[in-house]
């Protein structure tokens, strides 16, 4: 029996992946680029136990057994076993014939547009690769589980190059800059809604490719935007980075609105956060915070360290909460919450459709120092440990 | 002194006007088509008093004096006076030199995306035309006040042909079918929000023309859609009419989302109404109700008489209200509100993000029998009467 536990991080794209040219191989119609987030708070933890004694593969997600026959999981298992090293065990059986029991847990809401499938499939593939002794680039295996999972294989800034090959061999992740490159970069994850979303990304992007006229325009624009984005990161040019980030998010949601039937991932609270970010940038006289929305209503804000405290004080002013842990993972949080509203925001409540009257951000506001996960930093325990899932017993 | 009072109706487009090729002459980049609504409930009432004794033009809107120097009002006044008949008065002065006092009242929310500028400018132009004895097509004058106002000049189904001429002389309204043509057609106007909207149509469409890629695609699609829409009305083919109506509304709001900065006119309640309409159509097994949204969150539903009662009972179930006059202008309203929820809707509350949890439709639901206004039916009183605005006195 072999048991391995690993954790993997979430990534949040600043140039979005939306639309496949091949549904089975998960080959995208445009390249994308993301930041990989710190695992301090949001992460997936996966344990894989492989044994010649198991009669079949099984998987538990967040404590509930799920269907192992899911096409995506099967693709991943097939690919891993195909590439498995063939070391002989004491049992004299080939490792690749061992059945697996997989236990995977997200410590944040699943399928709510918080990139749970990215960390989930990344973690599954990475853990399986340890168990089956697979070496070489595994981002292409993560990709066939869930496209954007391939970007979570690396820390820092990661591109997913769309590739040209029919077999998808060149459609893989590439680290653009590591997590030490832009030390001042921070990320705020605002949890507006942690319920499972109504339109899955898979179904949504399929409809977009089939019915949106705008998606064809977007595909033409992205290559130039990718180049600009990589340069802005290389130059640590926040002004360009922030503008491109917001523009790409806006374009993605315009494609969603142009889809039949239309998809609306952003809700009223999302739009209020957009208003606050815009107002904040106007008040600063430069781009100081950049919103981006994945396929859900939760705003993610990329910003430099110096702006975390003032922007958080504005957000908590307009979205107050008495809940403990409403704001998490923010250094010096007591002082941040005591800060006065910065100048230029005093009158915001007087506006038509005042911000305060809107729906609240549900707990929690999370602040993460940016992208500490690296491939090397994944935890790898040969020890069999399933302490998170005590109800599952092996003999 | 001459005094004339007229009223004019609202129109709601099923193929939307969005984007100008000429800002001054208000020449659109695509043709559009609307239904003109009954004046039973929503209308503009305008009184124009012209006198050689007035020293300047003045205007009062909803009881407050507004700036008569507004570019649009000036364009209308100039055009009317240019075309004025030159009958001599007892005073020996030319009629066209008389100054005017204008008093105009909407009996519904202004600038809230309820087509108030359409009825407003239509009424202004029509009333001024009576005062100054202007004959011939006045839809081009209404157009330079507010584009879609030209469509309110006629009752029934009205096209605004975009035209080709540089001077705009062929960009005018044309009656496609009169109000007797499709007797079963009804319109529900659902007032989600009666506050003044944040992005005016004028500013919004200007931004769309400048920044949206999608608007160029839309412009190519509309001519074919106009032809199909006219045919569906001629044939009283509700299936085609309804599908085109919803598609065009979706396309228009996709253009808004594709605008920089993005414009979101629809809110959560709007989207819930869309959900209900879609569910209703699925339950009926055919297109039985068609939503459309102007530049605001208020849903307007075109449907045949037989579907008014079942759909209203669903809407009032999910958006209940104790307010008197919540539902207005609905024949047999007591029975409609007592109806049971139709089959297929019992489980709708169990869905994720259940409809009941959303924000309510604020008063009121309005139901109007369709398009009774005709040009001939405009009221025209030579009598000087300003009973709606008693605070304004003339000597």
């Amino acid at each position: 029996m072999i048991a391995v536990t690993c954790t993997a991080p979430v990534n949040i794209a600043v140039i979005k992946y939306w639309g496949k040219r091949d549904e089975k191989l998960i080959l995208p119609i445009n390249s994308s680029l993301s930041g990989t987030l710190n695992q301090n708070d949001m992460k997936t933890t996966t344990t894989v136990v492989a044994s010649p004694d198991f009669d079949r593969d099984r998987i538990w997600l967040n404590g509930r057994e799920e269907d192992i026959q899911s096409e995506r999981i099967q693709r991943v298992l097939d690919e891993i076993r195909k590439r498995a090293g063939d070391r002989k065990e004491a049992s004299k059986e080939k490792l690749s014939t061992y059945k697996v029991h997989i236990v995977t847990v997200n410590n944040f809401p699943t399928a709510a547009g918080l990139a749970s499938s990215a960390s989930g499939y990344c973690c599954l593939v990475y853990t399986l690769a340890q168990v089956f002794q697979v070496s070489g680039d595994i981002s292409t295996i993560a990709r066939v589980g869930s496209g954007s999972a391939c970007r979570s294989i690396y820390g820092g800034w990661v591109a997913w190059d769309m590739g040209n090959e029919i077999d998808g061999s060149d459609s893989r992740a590439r680290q653009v800059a590591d997590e030490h490159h832009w030390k001042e970069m921070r990320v705020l994850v605002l949890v507006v809604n942690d319920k499972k979303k109504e339109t899955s990304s898979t179904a949504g992007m399929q409809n977009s490719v089939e019915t949106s006229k705008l998606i064809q325009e977007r595909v033409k624009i992205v290559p130039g935007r990718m180049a600009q984005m990589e340069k802005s990161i290389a130059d640590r040019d926040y002004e360009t980075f922030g503008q491109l980030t917001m523009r790409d998010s806006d374009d993605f949601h315009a494609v969603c609105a142009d889809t039949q039937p239309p998809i609306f991932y952003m809700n009223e609270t999302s739009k209020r956060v957009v208003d606050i970010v815009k107002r904040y940038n106007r008040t600063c006289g430069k781009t100081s915070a950049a919103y981006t929305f994945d396929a859900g209503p939760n705003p993610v804000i990329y910003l430099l360290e110096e702006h975390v405290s003032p922007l958080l004080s504005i957000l908590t002013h307009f979205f107050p909460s008495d809940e403990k842990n409403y704001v998490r993972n923010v250094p010096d949080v007591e002082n941040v919450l005591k800060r006065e509203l910065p100048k230029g925001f005093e009158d915001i409540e007087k506006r038509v459709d005042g911000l305060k009257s809107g729906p609240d951000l549900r707990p929690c506001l999370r602040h993460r120092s940016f992208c500490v996960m690296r491939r090397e930093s994944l935890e790898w325990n040969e020890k069999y440990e399933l302490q998170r899932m005590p109800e599952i017993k092996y003999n």
Side-chain angles (χ1 to χ4, degrees), chain A residues 56-99:
Chain A
R56 60 191 176 98
D57 296 326
R58 296 176 74 182
I59 189 167
W60 290 259
L61 172 60
N62 296 327
R64 269 180 58 168
E65 184 160 10
E66 300 280 335
D67 183 10
I68 192 83
Q69 297 304 327
S70 138
E71 200 185 348
R72 286 155 172 257
I73 298 172
Q74 287 299 314
R75 277 201 298 253
V76 164
L77 286 170
D78 288 352
E79 196 61 33
I80 283 280
R81 284 182 168 129
K82 211 188 292 172
R83 282 170 57 176
D86 268 344
R87 144 184 100 159
K88 292 276 179 185
E89 287 294 298
S91 63
K92 312 276 184 217
E93 285 181 280
K94 270 187 177 177
L95 183 63
S96 58
T97 66
Y98 283 22
K99 299 295 181 198

Side-chain angles (χ1 to χ4, degrees), chain A residues 17 20 22-27 57 67-84 102 121 124-125 128 134 138-149 160 167 202 205-206:
Chain A
Y17 151 54
K20 303 184 188 82
D22 185 308
E23 290 284 337
K24 282 215 178 284
L25 293 171
I26 309 199
L27 301 177
D57 296 326
D67 183 10
I68 192 83
Q69 297 304 327
S70 138
E71 200 185 348
R72 286 155 172 257
I73 298 172
Q74 287 299 314
R75 277 201 298 253
V76 164
L77 286 170
D78 288 352
E79 196 61 33
I80 283 280
R81 284 182 168 129
K82 211 188 292 172
R83 282 170 57 176
I102 302 161
Y121 277 96
L124 175 65
V125 167
L128 286 169
V134 171
I138 58 169
S139 80
T140 53
I141 311 180
R143 191 202 71 223
V144 299
S146 176
S148 54
W160 171 13
D167 66 358
T202 303
M205 69 175 75
Q206 208 165 341

Side-chain angles (χ1 to χ4, degrees), chain A residues 272-273 275-276 318-319 348-349 351 353-358:
Chain A
R272 279 166 210 280
V273 171
D275 279 348
I276 289 176
F318 291 114
F319 299 104
I348 204 167
E349 283 164 273
R351 290 173 62 207
D353 254 329
L355 289 154
K356 258 207 169 157
S357 64

